[in-house]
Amino acid sequence: GQQVMQIPQYQHVQEGEDFTTYCNSSTTLSNIQWYKQRPGGHPVFLIQLVKSGEVKKQKRLTFQFGEAKKNSSLHITATQTTDVGTYFCAGRRRDDKIIFGKGTRLHILP
Amino acid sequence: KAGVTQTPRYLIKTRGQQVTLSCSPISGHRSVSWYQQTPGQGLQFLFEYFSETQRNKGNFPGRFSGRQFSNSRSEMNVSTLELGDSALYLCASSLGRGMNSPLHFGNGTRLTVT
């Protein structure tokens, strides 16, 4: 079963508002990656986090990996209509198996 | 550089049949992994191949199998299809194995089992 909880499942925000999605794993992860999937498209790689407590920024996107390497977050500042899509986290467990969050579907209201 | 190519894009099969899906990775990528995506379960890892060897396997029954050829192209086979196998099947290629490098996904094969 799913071992990475991702919340929220859906998020509607007004354009210009901030957005955050969270992933929580039941086990320690070796690393975590984030992907974005547009409606009808395939997942596209955004970032990889490896170190405990790591924070990375990409323009309006901020990614964090928790100190215990069990949780991660993606924060988008001042959302734009181009941010629409589903954001997934993917983690590699110690046994090398890859586990995904179910994703957060982001809707932007103009 | 060409992206990951999956064929066919759509398939309709009946229960009990078998199906083979194909994935051509990005040139130079030696790792190919397969995933099942459904609205209820999201993305689930099926297996990973690297240098023609299965390196890792998810929690799917033995009806799901795969292989990788010397040119890194991969195929996935599902035998004795069940209604619950209806899903989008995605493959991804990467330079290294085990999610050490970014996964590059294909557009997927949408399988419908009736």
Side-chain angles (χ1 to χ4, degrees), chain A residues 62-74:
Chain A
T62 303
F63 304 84
Q64 292 188 330
F65 200 11
E67 294 289 342
K69 301 184 78 173
K70 286 186 176 183
N71 56 70
S72 181
S73 65
L74 156 60

Side-chain angles (χ1 to χ4, degrees), chain A residues 1-2 31-33 35 37 41-45 48 88 90-92 95-102, chain B residues 33 35 37 40-45 56-59 88 90 97-103 105-107:
Chain A
Q2 200 65 252
N31 64 357
I32 197 159
Q33 294 177 348
Y35 291 82
Q37 186 172 19
H42 58 269
V44 174
F45 174 79
Q48 174 168 288
F88 295 96
R92 182 163 64 97
D95 61 0
D96 267 355
K97 284 191 170 42
I98 300 169
I99 49 176
F100 283 84
K102 287 191 177 182
Chain B
S33 50
Y35 305 86
Q37 187 174 35
Q41 295 299 317
L43 270 163
Q44 294 187 88
F45 170 70
N56 217 331
K57 191 175 188 303
N59 298 326
L88 179 67
L90 292 161
R97 60 164 299 240
M99 223 178 77
N100 286 322
S101 52
L103 301 174
F105 287 86
N107 287 323

Side-chain angles (χ1 to χ4, degrees), chain B residues 62-108:
Chain B
R63 300 185 296 107
F64 292 80
S65 64
R67 58 179 177 169
Q68 187 180 33
F69 301 95
S70 57
N71 61 358
S72 292
R73 191 177 70 84
S74 178
E75 287 182 346
M76 189 190 94
N77 185 76
V78 188
S79 63
T80 320
L81 284 165
E82 301 177 359
L83 294 178
D85 297 333
S86 295
L88 179 67
Y89 290 89
L90 292 161
C91 85
S93 74
S94 59
L95 272 173
R97 60 164 299 240
M99 223 178 77
N100 286 322
S101 52
L103 301 174
H104 298 264
F105 287 86
N107 287 323

Side-chain angles (χ1 to χ4, degrees), chain A residues 43-109:
Chain A
V44 174
F45 174 79
L46 293 175
I47 203 94
Q48 174 168 288
L49 304 167
V50 179
K51 298 175 184 174
S52 169
E54 190 169 12
V55 178
K56 286 189 176 180
K57 293 191 176 185
Q58 285 180 351
K59 297 181 181 178
R60 295 179 294 105
L61 278 61
T62 303
F63 304 84
Q64 292 188 330
F65 200 11
E67 294 289 342
K69 301 184 78 173
K70 286 186 176 183
N71 56 70
S72 181
S73 65
L74 156 60
H75 180 82
I76 303 178
T77 304
T79 53
Q80 300 174 357
T81 55
T82 53
D83 296 327
V84 164
T86 300
Y87 294 85
F88 295 96
C89 61
R92 182 163 64 97
R93 299 185 332 196
R94 298 288 193 204
D95 61 0
D96 267 355
K97 284 191 170 42
I98 300 169
I99 49 176
F100 283 84
K102 287 191 177 182
T104 296
R105 186 173 295 178
L106 174 62
H107 296 267
I108 308 289
L109 304 169

Side-chain angles (χ1 to χ4, degrees), chain A residues 3-62:
Chain A
Q3 291 179 307
V4 176
M5 290 297 298
Q6 188 171 356
I7 56 170
Q9 191 175 358
Y10 301 96
Q11 184 83 60
H12 292 77
V13 299
Q14 293 277 36
E15 188 175 6
E17 289 183 338
D18 293 356
F19 159 77
T20 306
T21 174
Y22 301 90
C23 281
N24 293 292
S25 170
S26 56
T27 60
T28 302
L29 302 171
S30 301
N31 64 357
I32 197 159
Q33 294 177 348
W34 284 90
Y35 291 82
K36 176 183 177 182
Q37 186 172 19
R38 292 182 182 273
H42 58 269
V44 174
F45 174 79
L46 293 175
I47 203 94
Q48 174 168 288
L49 304 167
V50 179
K51 298 175 184 174
S52 169
E54 190 169 12
V55 178
K56 286 189 176 180
K57 293 191 176 185
Q58 285 180 351
K59 297 181 181 178
R60 295 179 294 105
L61 278 61
T62 303

